[in-house]
Amino acid sequence: MPGPLNGTTVVEIEGMGPVPFAAMLLADMGAEVIRVERPRTSSGTPEELRLRDTFGRGRKSVRLDLKEPLGREAVLDLAARADVLIEGFRPGVMERLGLGPEILHATHPALVYARLSGWGQSGDLAQSAGHDINYIALAGALDPLGGPGADPVQPLAMVGDFGGGAMTLTMGILAALLESRGTGQGQVVDASCVDGASLLMSVVHHMRSAGQWRDERGSNLFDGGAPYYGVYRTSDDRHVAIGAIEPKFYSALLPVLGLDHETMRPQNDRDAWPERRRRIADVFATRTRDEWVRAFDGVEACFSPVLSPAEAVDHPVHGRPEAFINVDGFPEPAPTPQFSRTPSAPRPRPLPGHDTEEVLRGLDWPQDRIDEAMRDGADVGLLPGP
């Protein structure tokens, strides 16, 4: 059965990282996503490009040159029949192309026009380049990461680009779709990676306001300060993680480690945290990671082994065999959340430009215009697609 967004059409203007990730989420949920790709001059066969397309599953691929009149006209026609358009250019680019929201809404008022930028559509940095690490740096999300007295540690590029950017963009699209289907009026959904990363810091801002957060790195409950919430090295140079925040879990943790309840209390004596962290670290260093897994079997102490990405694929923790799926011969995380009546059904990646002729024919374009648009969008220096 098709996913919950079956019948929804999304035009995705090709972009970087978080934009295709957001489009992948919508495609996984059943939306028809038509990606408009630009001509390329880099080397590689269509098949090589397809397999390098990290978030490309579930699309139709159209190759158009938006600098040419027919390319822009095709996007106007596609958007006129779509429910959503997603773009991730710097502010003003779509307007200069004649594809801004005012133009598209003039002919299709119900369109949800979704745009994702690094720094927002206005402000001092709006036209500046940036990546995940820059967004989280200015959102205050990078500074707290790291141990006491150490430099900040950059996380994987997830907090700004994907958690802050793509996820909030997708949430905004779904909310705007609900509203537009009731009113017949679309709107612009404006998400930015820096604003999304800042939103993810809500708990820290609240704790600071309540006097429960210290600005010293590695001195707080869940930033590595609390000895019962953190990562520890084992004797085989692997790692385990504990999150025994609640007293009942902390009480369950100590006996397995062979630590005395009396000397390890009170649990939230901050002055004693550094010494207690050293004691716990010394104990974890006496056994291998898998030996600790066996020691904690059946004990509710919020204990977990730290798995590598390769190990995570095969681990039964996900509770369902289809938590990872085979896409184009590779294991990939399955769509989430799960739906009981309209389950998601991921589809493979397309070859770049594979669907150009089919999609343009669906716009009732004559063949000579289709041929001209395809010539404008043809790759330079690549093997031709099918």
Side-chain angles (χ1 to χ4, degrees):
M1 186 171 292
L5 290 182
N6 181 51
T8 301
T9 301
V10 177
V11 175
E12 171 201 0
I13 308 299
E14 180 188 17
M16 298 289 288
V19 168
F21 182 71
M24 184 187 79
L25 298 179
L26 299 173
D28 282 347
M29 289 187 279
E32 179 186 47
V33 177
I34 301 170
R35 175 191 279 175
V36 177
E37 304 194 42
R38 65 179 67 90
R40 281 177 170 75
T41 58
S42 59
S43 61
T45 67
E47 179 64 19
E48 288 170 341
L49 293 175
R50 183 179 77 90
L51 294 179
R52 292 204 297 263
D53 188 3
T54 307
F55 305 117
R57 70 191 189 199
R59 311 289 211 287
K60 289 183 177 179
S61 174
V62 174
R63 182 60 54 75
L64 298 169
D65 188 347
L66 299 188
K67 296 180 181 179
E68 297 293 335
L70 282 182
R72 292 192 294 273
E73 187 175 342
V75 172
L76 288 170
D77 286 354
L78 285 170
R81 305 184 184 200
D83 300 287
V84 180
L85 180 139
I86 306 177
E87 65 97 357
F89 290 131
R90 295 192 198 190
V93 170
M94 289 291 280
E95 283 80 358
R96 290 194 292 274
L97 289 170
L99 299 171
E102 290 187 3
I103 298 294
L104 271 60
H105 280 148
T107 56
H108 185 10
L111 179 71
V112 173
Y113 193 109
R115 52 197 343 173
L116 178 64
S117 61
W119 306 108
Q121 297 298 311
S122 61
D124 294 343
L125 294 178
Q127 294 296 332
S128 299
H131 284 294
D132 183 282
I133 194 168
N134 308 116
Y135 310 139
I136 67 174
L138 290 191
L142 178 59
D143 183 74
L145 304 178
D151 296 330
V153 176
Q154 65 257 37
L156 298 176
M158 295 178 181
V159 178
D161 280 350
F162 301 110
M167 290 293 192
T168 57
L169 178 72
T170 305
M171 177 180 66
I173 289 169
L174 297 177
L177 272 174
L178 281 173
E179 197 275 341
S180 69
R181 287 172 176 174
T183 65
Q185 295 295 308
Q187 59 185 305
V188 176
V189 177
D190 178 9
S192 76
C193 295
V194 68
D195 287 347
S198 182
L199 180 65
L200 294 176
M201 290 293 290
S202 296
V203 64
V204 172
H205 287 293
H206 175 79
M207 292 179 72
R208 287 188 77 252
S209 299
Q212 299 171 344
W213 184 272
R214 298 178 181 177
D215 286 335
E216 294 82 11
R217 196 172 300 114
S219 64
N220 297 285
L221 174 61
F222 50 79
D223 68 350
Y228 49 80
Y229 193 95
V231 176
Y232 291 92
R233 184 184 295 270
T234 56
S235 65
D236 54 347
D237 287 331
R238 311 296 288 275
H239 296 86
V240 296
I242 56 173
I245 296 175
E246 292 82 357
K248 64 178 180 179
F249 299 137
Y250 186 64
S251 294
L253 171 75
L254 297 179
V256 181
L257 297 178
L259 294 173
D260 178 62
H261 276 260
E262 295 305 317
T263 60
M264 295 293 286
R265 292 183 181 278
Q267 179 180 348
N268 288 310
D269 181 357
R270 284 178 176 260
D271 292 336
W273 276 2
E275 188 273 334
R276 290 176 182 173
R277 174 169 280 278
R278 286 191 292 271
R279 291 183 64 184
I280 293 175
D282 288 343
V283 174
F284 273 123
T286 63
R287 301 188 196 180
T288 68
R289 186 194 67 178
D290 292 344
E291 286 173 337
W292 283 116
V293 170
R294 290 190 289 272
F296 276 94
D297 186 29
V299 179
E300 282 205 330
C302 298
F303 164 92
S304 303
V306 176
L307 303 179
S308 69
E311 290 175 308
V313 172
D314 297 318
H315 198 277
V317 65
H318 301 285
R320 56 191 179 108
E322 66 277 15
F324 281 81
I325 56 175
N326 186 305
V327 179
D328 298 315
F330 303 100
E332 294 187 3
T336 189
Q338 301 171 67
F339 299 92
S340 63
R341 188 171 54 81
T342 57
S344 300
R347 291 153 287 174
R349 296 167 177 80
L351 287 168
H354 176 272
D355 306 291
T356 305
E357 185 169 4
E358 174 196 339
V359 169
L360 294 182
R361 190 177 292 119
L363 298 176
D364 299 323
W365 279 27
Q367 190 62 45
D368 59 338
R369 294 182 74 210
I370 293 174
D371 293 341
E372 183 178 352
M374 292 179 68
R375 285 194 297 272
D376 289 342
D379 292 327
V380 178
L382 296 177
L383 295 177

